[in-house]
Amino acid sequence: MTTYFNNGVYADKETIKVSIDDRGYYFGDGVYEVIKVYDGKLYTDQEHFTRFLQSAKKIRMDLPYTIDEFTGIAKKLAADNGIVEGHVYIQATRGAAPRMHNFPGEEVEPMITAYAIHNPRPLSKIKEGVAVKTTDDIRWLRCDIKSLNLLGNVLAKQEAYDAGCAEAVFVRDGIVTEGSSSNMFGVKDGILYTHPATNLILNGITRRVILQLCAKHSIGVMEEPFTLEQFKEMDELFLTSTTSEITPIVSIDGKIVGDGAPGRVTERLQQVFEETIHELKMEIN
Ligand code: PDD
């Protein structure tokens, strides 16, 4: 039996009923988070739940739980479902009300659902790298919100899959923004490049870990917009996300990156990232 969380209740997935009038279903009117579980422990949960509350605030939605309460829910789901390596998914919608675009009345409560699922680390992709495909960034201008509205991302990911690639790289006005479900990084002459954390990208939690690791290990960083041409000429490319961790990019639009193998800086960052996972595993809680 898989236990899900639904507005304060832990129950079997099959018994949870969500209204057909839910605004998540009608409008994608809600926000979400994905938190990695290593060795049964949550990785960067504080950061994820802080962003969850921030995303909710940005769409003018009040969530009924604190960061600590959300952490408790996620921990319980991971424990009750025996998740050793996987992730917790959590979403909050503006609740159920007859379909109308404007917000429902105060009496309508947010609908919060969450589950924990087994999901092994994509180790071969992390080691060998993946191919990516560029596509127009057709999304809205609030990509900083981790919104349930993911149609632009879904279409881009499928376009990449149809071309035999693992990820789509969004390009807006000639500038590389991010991936369909990841952040993009390039390395040129030992310096790391990534799009600044503006409204045009989601400021990934993994992205933030990378920037902290760069500061700690004296790797130079430029958080500045760069063009697709510049991106394609970089020595190394990689993408990051909660589930992909640091995945090297070995080809882009069919063009080989560097010598076609994961780069030196990428591998160094993978190594120090691995240490953060190891530290989590060693924590006693
Ligand atoms: N996606 N940019 C976008 C558009 C994303 O959807 C994600 C994550 C990221 C990376 O964020 P983080 O490092 O916090 O996971 C960047 C999640 C994993 C998903 O939708 O499944």
Side-chain angles (χ1 to χ4, degrees):
M1 191 182 94
T2 317
T3 306
Y4 273 51
F5 174 86
N6 177 235
N7 278 13
V9 175
Y10 293 88
D12 179 31
K13 180 181 178 178
E14 307 307 324
T15 66
I16 292 178
K17 298 259 182 295
V18 176
S19 170
I20 199 153
D21 274 337
D22 192 275
R23 290 177 64 93
Y25 185 52
Y26 282 141
F27 302 114
D29 186 2
V31 293
Y32 76 104
E33 278 297 329
V34 181
I35 304 119
K36 189 76 195 170
V37 177
Y38 295 108
D39 213 14
K41 294 178 178 149
L42 301 174
Y43 184 75
T44 53
D45 46 295
Q46 288 286 312
E47 291 81 351
H48 279 283
F49 288 121
T50 301
R51 185 174 66 184
F52 193 44
L53 292 179
Q54 286 167 347
S55 288
K57 199 164 173 217
K58 286 175 182 176
I59 66 162
R60 298 167 59 190
M61 199 166 93
D62 284 330
L63 296 183
Y65 300 109
T66 62
I67 293 172
D68 284 350
E69 285 167 340
F70 276 124
T71 301
I73 293 165
K75 273 188 182 162
K76 182 166 164 56
L77 285 170
D80 288 0
N81 292 289
I83 304 303
V84 178
E85 197 168 280
H87 66 255
V88 172
Y89 176 84
I90 185 157
Q91 72 169 44
T93 76
R94 209 181 298 276
R99 185 181 181 279
M100 53 177 188
H101 285 65
N102 56 302
F103 296 172
E106 301 264 296
E107 71 286 358
V108 175
E109 299 283 320
M111 170 66 73
I112 297 168
T113 39
Y115 61 82
I117 191 168
H118 173 68
N119 180 18
R121 300 176 66 191
L123 292 177
S124 64
K125 285 183 180 165
I126 288 172
K127 190 158 182 281
E128 284 148 33
V130 296
V132 298
K133 179 187 188 301
T134 58
T135 191
D136 269 354
D137 195 342
I138 58 164
R139 300 173 302 160
W140 70 332
L141 295 172
R142 291 308 305 274
C143 301
D144 55 307
I145 301 172
K146 205 162 168 59
S147 151
L148 291 176
N149 260 293
L150 289 174
L151 196 48
N153 308 61
V154 166
L155 291 174
K157 181 77 92 186
Q158 189 57 42
E159 188 184 322
Y161 272 44
D162 289 345
C165 294
E167 177 60 308
V169 180
F170 280 128
V171 181
R172 195 191 285 271
D173 300 328
I175 301 294
V176 172
T177 51
E178 62 178 337
S180 75
S181 62
S182 61
N183 289 115
M184 288 289 154
F185 292 82
V187 180
K188 185 76 180 166
D189 301 326
I191 305 286
L192 190 71
Y193 291 81
T194 197
H195 194 283
T198 65
N199 60 309
L200 299 182
I201 69 160
L202 181 77
N203 186 3
I205 304 302
T206 325
R207 176 187 182 278
R208 300 181 210 182
V209 172
I210 299 300
L211 298 183
Q212 281 165 11
L213 290 172
C214 284
K216 187 172 168 196
H217 297 279
S218 308
I219 298 169
V221 174
M222 293 279 276
E223 279 184 85
E224 275 177 23
F226 45 84
T227 65
L228 176 59
E229 287 68 37
Q230 287 171 319
F231 196 56
K232 285 188 172 173
E233 290 308 317
M234 299 231 185
D235 305 323
E236 305 177 27
L237 301 180
F238 65 86
L239 59 86
T240 67
S241 82
T242 295
T243 45
S244 321
E245 304 180 5
I246 302 173
T247 298
I249 296 171
V250 291
S251 85
I252 176 163
D253 293 339
K255 180 185 181 290
I256 298 294
V257 177
D259 59 6
R264 198 181 52 82
V265 175
T266 308
E267 287 187 335
R268 172 78 182 126
L269 282 169
Q270 286 180 324
Q271 192 187 3
V272 290
F273 185 78
E274 199 69 40
E275 285 166 18
T276 68
I277 297 172
H278 183 71
E279 280 161 23
L280 176 75
K281 288 183 179 177
M282 290 298 115
E283 267 175 30
I284 300 155
N285 56 352

